[in-house]
Amino acid sequence: MGFIKKNLLKVIEWTEKDKDTMVYKFPVPDRYEIMKGSKLVVRESQAAIFMTEGQIADVFTAGTWTLEPENLPILSKLGAWKYGWEMPIKSDVYYVSLKQFIGMKWGTANPIMMRDKDFGMIRIMGHGEYSFHVCDPAKFMRECYGTIHSFSTDDIADYLRSMVIAEITDLLGECRIPALDLAANYIELGAAAKEHATTRFGTLGLAVDQIVIRNFKLPEEVEKAMDKRTTLGVFEDKMAEYAQYESVQAMRDSAKNPGAGGMFAAAGIGLGMGARMAGQFADSLDSVGKSAPKEKCPKCGAQISAKAKFCPECGEKIVAAGKVLCEKCGAQVGAGAKFCPECGAPMQTKCPECNTVIKAGIKFCPNCGHKVG
């Protein structure tokens, strides 16, 4: 009857002292036992789990509970309570935090391969945040928790991060959003990644609350190409003024160079002649620019140069007259070609009248009869 000398453990509770602890094992001192009449305090965003002989016996939600046989039917069968509470309960008490764990970081250690219709195969890096919470304490205890004293987000962060990155990688391969439009779809991509990750998190008793994409970094070569395309769009109607400005700047830099300045002085040219030459050069560029043929972008209708490869307004790739794009590799192929000379894929085209996909070389659309070639 040595157990009678032990004291009644009156209150069982957990006051969280940090924001990262997910599971906490309540310590029972040697001189105390859990007996009839003990109080169990479970706060909001907590769950208390009794484990007896390695089995999950009962799960308690928020509230203050008086431990009585009628409140614990399962434990009454598994533990020492079957003796009418005359013996102490030989169980372990674990508290599980149900709050949302926010600010969890994710980032790609290796580049993600992505096929882009404008730039082909590119590699991108990304980073952001995600948040989650425990939605099924019993399942989480069975799947993730061992016999350690406590369990924190650091113990599972690497695994959860790998799941988030795997979902984002798979999503980028399926959505086929152009690299130029990624920044405009961060919120939509994050919401889709969250939806895809819900099932995998659920197998651990967890629920993913949010996946936030902070940034996707494109390769340096792609960023330079995008910068050039933006510059061309800005100066499209003012190329003459831009050329004149660059010429004057070049002459001014030459004047600052003692050797170049000496040559100009010896020849009797000076800065005035340099400015006049720049003006003449700008006039010639202006006349060329005004006489250059224009055409409409097939996507947005903007006026663009006939020699332009991309639309400066929307970024659409311009296909030369008499050419079509290979659906597989994006190469420009003659309209009558049956196979792509770059990748060997069979060529297809669309009827300009009804937009039906037909094989290359066919002269009339089999759907509407419109002449194609």
Side-chain angles (χ1 to χ4, degrees), residues 3 8-9 33-38 67 85-89:
F3 65 91
L8 169 67
L9 188 59
E33 296 286 3
I34 302 173
M35 298 185 70
K36 180 179 179 180
S38 296
L67 301 182
W85 294 87
E86 296 301 326
M87 296 182 64
I89 305 170

Side-chain angles (χ1 to χ4, degrees), residues 308-363:
K309 294 184 178 180
F310 295 91
C311 175
E313 294 295 330
C314 65
E316 178 73 7
K317 188 173 183 179
I318 306 301
V319 182
K323 299 283 188 178
V324 293
L325 289 178
C326 173
E327 293 290 338
K328 184 175 182 181
C329 68
Q332 295 194 24
V333 186
K338 295 184 178 180
F339 296 91
C340 174
E342 295 293 333
C343 65
M347 292 299 298
Q348 294 179 336
T349 185
K350 291 184 179 179
C351 173
E353 182 69 20
C354 66
N355 210 32
T356 299
V357 177
I358 57 178
K359 293 182 179 181
I362 294 179
K363 296 183 178 181

Side-chain angles (χ1 to χ4, degrees), residues 15 36 55 86 103 119 147 165 171 188 203 212 214 236 313 332 335 347 356-357 362 366:
T15 303
K36 180 179 179 180
Q55 300 181 58
E86 296 301 326
F119 305 104
T147 58
I165 294 175
L171 187 63
E188 291 78 6
T203 59
V212 178
R214 293 296 184 190
E236 181 184 11
E313 294 295 330
Q332 295 194 24
M347 292 299 298
T356 299
V357 177
I362 294 179

Side-chain angles (χ1 to χ4, degrees), residues 1 9 21 24 49 56 98 101 107 139 187 256 267 348 370:
M1 304 294 290
L9 188 59
T21 300
Y24 174 77
I49 296 179
I56 295 177
L98 305 181
F101 294 94
K139 180 182 288 187
I187 296 178
K256 292 179 180 179
Q348 294 179 336
H370 185 81

Side-chain angles (χ1 to χ4, degrees), residues 45-211:
S45 74
Q46 289 182 352
I49 296 179
F50 277 74
M51 295 191 69
T52 301
E53 298 178 359
Q55 300 181 58
I56 295 177
D58 280 297
V59 180
F60 291 85
T61 55
T64 300
W65 303 80
T66 300
L67 301 182
E68 300 286 351
E70 57 269 20
N71 294 335
L72 300 138
I74 300 178
L75 267 180
S76 298
K77 297 177 181 179
L78 295 178
W81 298 351
K82 62 185 178 182
Y83 298 104
W85 294 87
E86 296 301 326
M87 296 182 64
I89 305 170
K90 300 297 183 181
S91 298
D92 293 321
V93 183
Y94 295 88
Y95 277 91
V96 180
S97 178
L98 305 181
K99 69 179 183 181
Q100 185 177 158
F101 294 94
I102 62 175
M104 305 296 293
K105 306 293 184 181
W106 69 267
T108 54
N110 299 306
I112 300 174
M113 296 297 296
M114 172 182 170
R115 185 186 297 276
D116 185 76
K117 67 175 185 178
D118 295 324
F119 305 104
M121 291 299 297
I122 60 175
R123 299 179 180 182
I124 63 175
M125 303 286 287
H127 70 273
E129 301 171 357
Y130 67 96
S131 58
F132 70 96
H133 70 274
V134 178
C135 62
D136 189 334
K139 180 182 288 187
F140 178 74
M141 290 287 288
R142 286 192 295 266
E143 299 294 333
C144 299
Y145 187 74
T147 58
I148 57 179
H149 184 268
S150 64
F151 189 90
S152 70
T153 55
D154 290 339
D155 298 313
I156 199 173
D158 290 341
Y159 182 63
L160 297 183
R161 185 185 304 115
S162 65
M163 288 199 298
V164 171
I165 294 175
E167 295 296 343
I168 293 176
T169 301
D170 185 64
L171 187 63
L172 285 177
E174 293 179 352
C175 68
R176 296 185 179 180
I177 297 177
L180 292 172
D181 299 330
L182 281 177
N185 291 275
Y186 283 172
I187 296 178
E188 291 78 6
L189 286 171
K194 171 197 169 184
E195 183 178 353
H196 286 200
T198 297
T199 302
R200 298 184 66 180
F201 272 68
T203 59
L204 303 177
L206 303 175
V208 56
D209 297 296
Q210 190 177 29
I211 295 179

